[in-house]
Amino acid sequence: MIDHMAIQVANVPASAEFYDRALAPLGAQRTKEFGEFISFGTTGHTLWLVPATEDGPAREVHLAFAAPDRAAVDAFHAAAVAAGAESLHAPQLWPQYHEAYYGAFVRDPDGNNIEAVCHTPQGETPPSGGVPQP
């Protein structure tokens, strides 16, 4: 359903370095640089980092990225923390969402709540090799 989204960040190059490291375990990478804007995706330009246009406190955004398996969620969390993110929740099952919901949450350099989530039950392979949907 989502084609692309943009989040405002205080320092585009610094945030891009964070997302380079945090999204690599999920198969995402920089896909385009357009002036001051930088995009990331597995295909296309799903997430755009754009310069903040107003002074003052940023409003927290929650972004959840699909992971193909639980190991990718674990790798995302490790990479994000190594890149300087605050760990909000280490990788774990969240049965209050559904029995196979496995996610990890970190805070990016601008204070956003960033998650990687896998919806596939342990030991199962996503249909057609893709990332399952909730």
Side-chain angles (χ1 to χ4, degrees), residues 43-96:
T43 61
H45 317 296
T46 306
L47 172 66
W48 284 92
L49 305 178
V50 302
T53 58
E54 297 179 13
D55 291 333
R59 297 175 69 184
E60 179 181 325
V61 173
H62 175 70
L63 299 174
F65 295 100
D69 54 39
R70 293 178 182 192
V73 172
D74 296 344
F76 157 84
H77 185 263
V81 169
E86 172 191 358
S87 175
L88 298 175
H89 299 288
Q92 63 184 348
L93 282 170
W94 296 88
Q96 62 269 41

Side-chain angles (χ1 to χ4, degrees), residues 1-2 62 64-67 94 96-102 115-121 126-127 130-134:
M1 183 170 104
I2 295 174
H62 175 70
F65 295 100
W94 296 88
Q96 62 269 41
Y97 301 143
H98 67 71
E99 65 184 32
Y101 196 111
Y102 187 80
E115 173 187 5
V117 60
C118 175
H119 297 282
T120 305
V131 176
Q133 301 301 308

